[in-house]
Every structure is written in C-alpha cells, then in structure tokens.
Amino acid sequence: LFAIFAFATCGGYSGGLRLSVDCANKSESDFNIDIAFAYPFRLHEVNFDVPTCEGKRREKLSLIGDFSSSAEFFVTIAVFAFLYSLAATVVYIFFQNKYRENNRGPLIDFIVTVVFSFLWLVSSSAWAKGLSDVKIATDPDEVLLLMSACKQQSNKCLPVRSPVMSSLNTSVVFGYLNFILWAGNIWFVFKETGWHSSGQRHAADTMEKQPSGYNQGGYNQDSYGPAGGYNQPGSYGQVGEYGQSQSYSQSGPTSFANQI
C-alpha cells in the first residue's frame, strides 16, 4: 500500500501555471498564458507561446530543466517494491514450507529487503532534490523572466496561477515512510534466517559448557582424602561409611581412634 501511494502520487501528477502579459498596446496583450507539465518532468520539452508586445509577433519559449531521471528512478523503485511485496505475500501464505526449505527463502528475502531499504533511501533523497528543482523551474516569477516582453517596463507581466505541488510533496513523504518500513522489516526477516538461529544455538551451547559453580571456586570433595577425615587438632573420631574407623587426630601422642 505504501509503495502504491508513492508511485501514484508521483507518476500520476499533472499540473500547470497561468501567466498574463499586459502590453502597452492592449490589443497585443495575452492574459491567459497556460503552461501545462506532467510526469516525468522533462520541462525542456514543454513549449508555450507568449506575446512580444511588438506587433502581432509571438515568441516560442520552453521551460528549463530535465528532472525525469530522479522522478523515473523513484517511480521504478516504488513499482518493483510493490511487485515484490505482492509476490512475497503470496509465498508467505501459500508456499510457507517451500519458503523455509534449506533456509534459502529467508536468506533471499533478507538480502532483497536490505537492498530495497537502501534504494528507497537513495531514490527518495534524489526525488526530493528533483522536486525542489521542479518547483524552482515552474515558479511563475521565474518563468516570466524568460519573456522578452517582461523586460520592458512599459509592459506588465503577472502570475495568475501557480502549480499545485501537494501530491508531489506527499510522494516524497511516502518515499521516506517506505524506507522506514523496509528498514524496520530487516530485523523481522533476519529472525527467519539461519543466521539468527545459529546465533541462538551458539549462545545456548556456551551456557551449557560452563563449569558448575562448585568447581569454579576450587571446591573438590576428593581434596579431603579418601577416608573423608579432617586432620584437625582437637577433633573426635567417627565410624566410617564401611565400618572402618576414621580418625580425627589431636595434637598429641594420644588418639581417640583406638578407643572406638
């Protein structure tokens, strides 16, 4: 939907402006000079006739500039993004198993999403600059400067109607919104790839391979000896697990172990 709005507001645009030239000789004046232009904004091909205020002779002029490259690039990216989104939706719904087979589908989807995110940013920036130039080239005050009749103070040249650029401004906004949408979708597509799954398995394996808390601290039950005895002074003897006496020696010649 965002891609449709982007190329529809730009590719379907047509507008125009109206000028008036009031000559000193009123019979030579022209108060309705209409200049129409449209996508792809090859303005140098837009021709119009204006009076010279020198008899009935008229001069043929044209607007200045060719901004078709940025406009067509923007619309092309929008159309291809729409087609890919439509195809991806069909695959997600009807070919989910095929999509996940060998992890090829998610990887391709991830790469294409990254590429489209970059292209949306580039095309939107290029078209924003192109639109700024289109506004300057179609400014009625700028167009009046092209007329020889308007260079004479005895003649009056006035703008009657300026072109409406609201839909073109909207197209730039939708271009950047598409960039945000596709860039944000990179994370969700990445989660479907094997790279994300392998990263989670690696983290889980690392946690499992860590030694227990008892061994980390250097605690080892075997360090107390096979008999389990503590050779501490002033301790008492106990009978071992297998009926054998276990001595806890005192600091002296006598031991309680012999009494057991």
Side-chain angles (χ1 to χ4, degrees):
L1 290 177
F2 276 72
I4 291 174
F5 290 139
F7 71 73
T9 52
C10 179
Y13 177 83
S14 62
L17 62 150
R18 178 176 294 178
L19 308 173
S20 70
V21 178
D22 186 8
C23 301
N25 185 357
K26 300 299 182 180
S27 62
E28 301 173 358
S29 302
D30 190 346
F31 299 101
N32 294 300
I33 303 174
D34 292 319
I35 305 174
F37 62 95
Y39 173 86
F41 307 103
R42 295 187 177 93
L43 300 183
H44 66 286
E45 298 179 356
V46 178
N47 302 316
F48 56 96
D49 295 331
V50 296
T52 61
C53 295
E54 297 176 355
K56 296 298 182 179
R57 188 174 63 89
R58 299 176 68 90
E59 64 178 342
K60 188 175 184 179
L61 300 175
S62 63
L63 297 178
I64 299 175
D66 182 4
F67 310 102
S68 59
S69 58
S70 59
E72 290 177 340
F73 179 46
F74 178 79
V75 171
T76 300
I77 297 303
V79 171
F80 277 105
F82 163 72
L83 294 177
Y84 179 78
S85 300
L86 188 62
T89 303
V90 173
V91 172
Y92 294 158
I93 297 175
F94 299 103
F95 303 98
Q96 186 65 230
N97 295 332
K98 193 69 175 178
Y99 172 78
R100 296 180 181 276
E101 184 178 354
N102 298 326
N103 201 38
R104 183 177 300 176
L107 289 178
I108 295 175
D109 197 13
F110 173 75
I111 294 173
V112 173
T113 302
V114 172
V115 171
F116 266 113
S117 300
F118 174 75
L119 291 177
W120 270 117
L121 177 61
V122 174
S123 62
S124 299
S125 301
W127 171 230
K129 177 60 171 63
L131 177 57
S132 177
D133 295 337
V134 169
K135 290 180 178 179
I136 296 175
T138 57
D139 186 359
D141 293 329
E142 295 294 329
V143 178
L144 289 174
L145 297 177
L146 302 176
M147 304 179 185
S148 60
C150 298
K151 298 177 182 178
Q152 302 176 11
Q153 295 181 354
S154 59
N155 304 321
K156 296 180 181 180
C157 301
L158 297 173
V160 178
R161 186 183 68 236
S162 299
V164 179
M165 299 287 189
S166 57
S167 63
L168 296 181
N169 294 331
T170 305
S171 68
V172 175
V173 173
F174 273 110
Y176 284 110
L177 286 177
N178 273 283
F179 162 69
I180 296 173
L181 182 65
W182 284 78
N185 197 44
I186 291 177
W187 167 247
F188 297 99
V189 180
F190 176 74
K191 291 174 64 177
E192 300 292 332
T193 63
W195 298 334
H196 181 263
S197 301
S198 61
Q200 287 185 331
R201 287 196 299 267
H202 178 71
D205 294 342
T206 304
M207 293 295 296
E208 291 177 357
K209 291 180 180 179
Q210 288 182 354
S212 62
Y214 295 102
N215 293 333
Q216 288 180 351
Y219 178 84
N220 194 337
Q221 188 174 3
D222 295 339
S223 62
Y224 297 99
Y230 295 84
N231 294 325
Q232 298 178 354
S235 60
Y236 299 94
Q238 295 179 358
V239 179
E241 181 179 357
Y242 299 100
Q244 298 178 352
S245 63
Q246 297 176 340
S247 63
Y248 297 79
S249 63
Q250 293 180 334
S251 58
T254 308
S255 175
F256 288 100
N258 296 327
Q259 299 177 3
I260 297 176

